[in-house]
Amino acid sequence: MQKTPATAAADRIELLQTFVRIVEAGSLSAAAQQIGATQPTVSRRLQALERSLGVKLLQRSTHAMNLTEDGERCYERAKDMVAHWEALQSDLRGSHEDPEGTLRVVAPHAFGQHQLLGPLAAFLRRHPRVRVEWMLRDGTPDFITENIDCAIQVGEVTDPSVIAIKLADVPRIVAVAPSVLGGAAPPKDVEALASLPWVALSMYYRDEVELRCLRSGEQRRIAIRPQMTTDSLYALRNAALLGLGVCVASAWALREDIARGDLVHLLPTWQASPLPMYLVYPPARFYPVRLRRFLDMVREAMPETVGERGLIEP
């Protein structure tokens, strides 16, 4: 059956989209994984584009893949064409369109396992045609090579090439299992914390802790010698519950344990500096409806989710 001009144009756009993804992903297999196709399908699309243009776009060997001179020119033009095509689709479909397609999102390990799953589930129920690949790890991803749409990052954003919107500050408090106190009264001053055993969260503190008084703004720093150091917030919390030592952790992660009496909130008028949380994504000429709706959801849900409201009162 002969293709209509519209069908043929759509096919060519798909070939260009695939070619752009191959270049940015760094390999055919990575591109196939990112777009949800098989490697033979991606290879056939590349070959079809090369036949259509009458040029070789990529030089491939067992260990490397490089753009030809024609391939470099094609990639620069294809990026613009694909972006304009997707922007046109988005504009014509309108902002009230029910979003569809796949979002690839990176979120912090602990936060992504617990706090954000409720808002994410509500988002997916509201938009059943959207699929989300929910990748849990800390730090900023490589948005281009990994084809990531957005990331939620705890800590300051240092990459000037991305857009970073501050969502909230994550309060951090001091807590310990009652067994560590051995029946003694909780310490009443910051310096007394130094004599207790500690567990540490390596991304944020190792051998010293700085606390700030919520009432006066006074800051004090104490040296600690943690028996255990970890890069996992959940491992830190569980170690504290097992009585390995005092910890400084996000208030949201400890709130239920404190309410049950499994942990004691030490020096409630003192807290560690809150951790900023950002929504990070790469700049683009347009953003698809599914991404815009997801960004709106995260911005709305975050203050309640991180515990900015309803903090444990000192």
Side-chain angles (χ1 to χ4, degrees):
M1 186 174 73
Q2 187 174 6
K3 293 182 178 180
T4 66
T7 303
D11 286 348
R12 286 193 289 272
I13 288 292
E14 183 180 56
L15 298 182
L16 290 173
Q17 288 172 323
T18 301
F19 173 62
V20 169
R21 180 48 45 206
I22 291 169
V23 175
E24 293 180 347
S27 70
L28 272 66
S29 58
Q33 183 178 14
Q34 291 178 9
I35 66 177
T38 64
Q39 184 170 338
T41 296
V42 170
S43 181
R44 284 194 296 271
R45 290 180 188 174
L46 174 62
Q47 292 168 9
L49 181 61
E50 289 178 330
R51 285 196 301 271
S52 174
L53 297 174
V55 295
K56 189 73 172 175
L57 299 174
L58 292 174
Q59 296 286 359
R60 288 182 288 161
S61 66
T62 306
H63 304 292
M65 182 190 79
N66 297 299
L67 285 168
T68 64
E69 184 177 344
D70 289 324
E72 290 179 356
R73 293 167 55 203
C74 179
Y75 171 64
E76 293 303 321
R77 298 289 296 275
K79 278 196 305 183
D80 290 339
M81 293 176 68
V82 167
H84 281 101
W85 171 254
E86 291 175 343
L88 175 62
Q89 283 183 312
S90 180
D91 288 344
L92 292 180
R93 287 174 178 171
S95 60
H96 300 292
E97 176 199 9
D98 188 23
E100 61 180 318
T102 299
L103 281 172
R104 290 170 56 84
V105 182
V106 170
H109 259 113
F111 204 77
Q113 290 181 59
H114 191 272
Q115 294 298 93
L116 275 177
L117 279 184
L120 175 63
F123 173 80
L124 291 174
R125 285 193 290 268
R126 193 160 56 247
H127 304 297
R129 296 165 63 188
V130 174
R131 298 177 303 280
V132 172
E133 294 186 29
W134 193 241
M135 291 161 281
L136 302 182
R137 62 179 187 266
D138 298 308
T140 304
D142 187 326
F143 289 99
I144 301 302
T145 59
E146 297 181 78
N147 194 26
I148 302 299
D149 291 291
C150 67
I152 297 161
Q153 178 176 329
V154 177
E156 294 296 343
V157 178
T158 58
D159 184 353
S161 69
V162 299
I163 296 170
I165 298 175
K166 189 172 182 179
L167 297 169
D169 285 311
V170 183
R172 293 189 296 157
I173 60 177
V174 186
V176 70
S179 60
V180 175
L181 299 177
K188 297 185 180 300
D189 60 81
V190 173
E191 284 71 19
L193 295 176
S195 63
L196 294 174
W198 276 80
V199 289
L201 191 59
S202 58
M203 297 93 72
Y204 305 117
Y205 67 97
R206 287 178 177 270
D207 53 11
E208 68 175 17
V209 171
E210 185 174 74
L211 300 177
R212 181 178 64 87
C213 181
L214 300 179
R215 294 171 179 168
S216 66
E218 178 188 359
Q219 291 184 314
R220 294 187 192 173
R221 184 173 297 177
I222 59 168
I224 61 172
R225 296 185 62 187
Q227 186 174 12
M228 172 186 165
T229 302
T230 178
D231 63 355
S232 166
L233 176 59
Y234 277 159
L236 180 84
R237 167 184 170 266
N238 291 335
L241 287 168
L242 290 170
L244 287 183
V246 182
C247 73
V248 169
S250 302
W252 68 262
L254 306 181
R255 180 176 285 107
E256 293 180 4
D257 301 315
I258 292 171
R260 286 193 301 266
D262 296 331
L263 291 176
V264 177
H265 186 182
L266 296 180
L267 300 174
T269 58
W270 292 80
Q271 290 185 2
S273 298
L275 297 175
M277 182 170 283
Y278 290 89
L279 185 59
V280 186
Y281 51 94
R285 288 189 177 90
F286 91 104
Y287 298 99
V289 175
R290 61 182 178 274
L291 178 57
R292 298 202 303 269
R293 297 282 175 85
F294 181 83
L295 299 180
D296 289 342
M297 179 275 291
V298 172
R299 285 196 293 265
E300 181 179 351
M302 195 58 66
E304 185 71 32
T305 303
V306 300
E308 278 196 331
R309 302 168 191 152
L311 277 177
I312 301 169
E313 292 296 332

